[in-house]
Amino acid sequence: TANPAWIVLDMLTNSRYAGKLPLEQIDIEKFYEWSVFCKSNKLEFNGVFDGDSQNLWDSLQYVLRVGRAKLINVGNKFSVAVDMPAAPVMMFNVTNIVEKSLSINWLPMSDRINELEVTFYDKANDYNQNTLRIVDETAQSRSTRNVQSINLIGVTDKAQAVAEATLYLNMNRLLLQTVT
């Protein structure tokens, strides 16, 4: 499979070459939900890991990034937090915030990236390295040129690389504050 959810599950549970976790320690329902999200959004991981080059945790991060997820612990199980649409689970207002405990910080716009160089391994070009430059015209018109490069290991499709770059640029431009 190229579905990131099932690849991560295999990496965590395989007893021959991976994490050797028993299935009882995995939140299978959440992994299934994540796999449906990956399939419907055409999120695929097509990569190879050399067992000598890095540890399991570092290898998992590449697959999780392509699948827009993070591993989390829920009790004694591994689950995933996926960046996908969902219903609100908590609402905050004056009745449930301890007085003087709310902190809102606005993030500066001046140091944000507005151009991204994305490297991926293009299956249309025999899996050779390909680099695309994606520009956020809206953000670039508000500040000076600020370029960053990322390497999308496991991404082999140009459309997926463009979609990931666009997502990163949009998040970078639209996340305006942190709330504690």
Side-chain angles (χ1 to χ4, degrees):
T1 182
N3 190 307
W6 300 136
I7 294 170
V8 169
L9 180 66
D10 183 55
M11 291 172 76
L12 290 172
T13 60
N14 192 289
S15 61
R16 195 184 66 162
Y17 58 79
K20 302 179 184 179
L21 288 175
L23 279 177
E24 296 79 38
Q25 286 188 275
I26 306 291
D27 183 354
I28 295 295
E29 290 178 22
K30 191 66 176 176
F31 272 77
Y32 175 75
E33 183 182 314
W34 178 31
S35 75
V36 171
F37 170 75
C38 289
K39 184 176 181 180
S40 66
N41 287 281
K42 297 181 174 119
L43 301 178
E44 293 185 351
F45 182 87
N46 294 295
V48 176
F49 295 109
D50 177 354
D52 296 333
S53 64
Q54 59 191 4
N55 63 39
L56 175 62
W57 182 255
D58 292 340
S59 298
L60 282 167
Q61 300 314 305
Y62 293 114
V63 185
L64 289 162
R65 179 171 67 176
V66 169
R68 301 180 187 167
K70 297 281 183 197
L71 271 180
I72 59 171
N73 287 328
V74 178
N76 64 348
K77 290 186 174 191
F78 282 98
S79 187
V80 286
V82 184
D83 187 8
M84 65 182 182
V89 294
M90 184 66 179
M91 193 158 160
F92 296 95
N93 59 41
V94 294
T95 63
N96 61 0
I97 297 176
V98 176
E99 188 175 351
K100 297 184 182 179
S101 68
L102 177 67
S103 170
I104 299 174
N105 296 307
W106 292 90
L107 302 171
M109 297 299 285
S110 59
D111 60 348
R112 294 184 180 227
I113 62 168
N114 48 33
E115 194 173 317
L116 199 55
E117 290 179 351
V118 180
T119 301
F120 70 105
Y121 302 88
D122 194 353
K123 69 181 172 189
N125 188 16
D126 201 27
Y127 298 94
N128 285 310
Q129 203 174 58
N130 190 359
T131 301
L132 301 172
R133 193 175 128 250
I134 311 295
V135 176
D136 183 342
E137 300 290 343
T138 305
Q140 204 167 48
S141 67
R142 291 192 302 229
S143 64
T144 60
R145 184 173 181 242
N146 191 356
V147 183
Q148 185 168 352
S149 300
I150 60 170
N151 190 354
L152 292 176
I153 292 174
V155 174
T156 58
D157 182 73
K158 181 179 180 179
Q160 185 178 355
V162 169
E164 290 303 305
T166 303
L167 174 71
Y168 289 175
L169 286 170
N170 285 340
M171 288 174 58
N172 187 68
R173 179 172 40 91
L174 298 171
L175 293 176
L176 304 175
Q177 62 186 7
T178 60
V179 179
T180 306

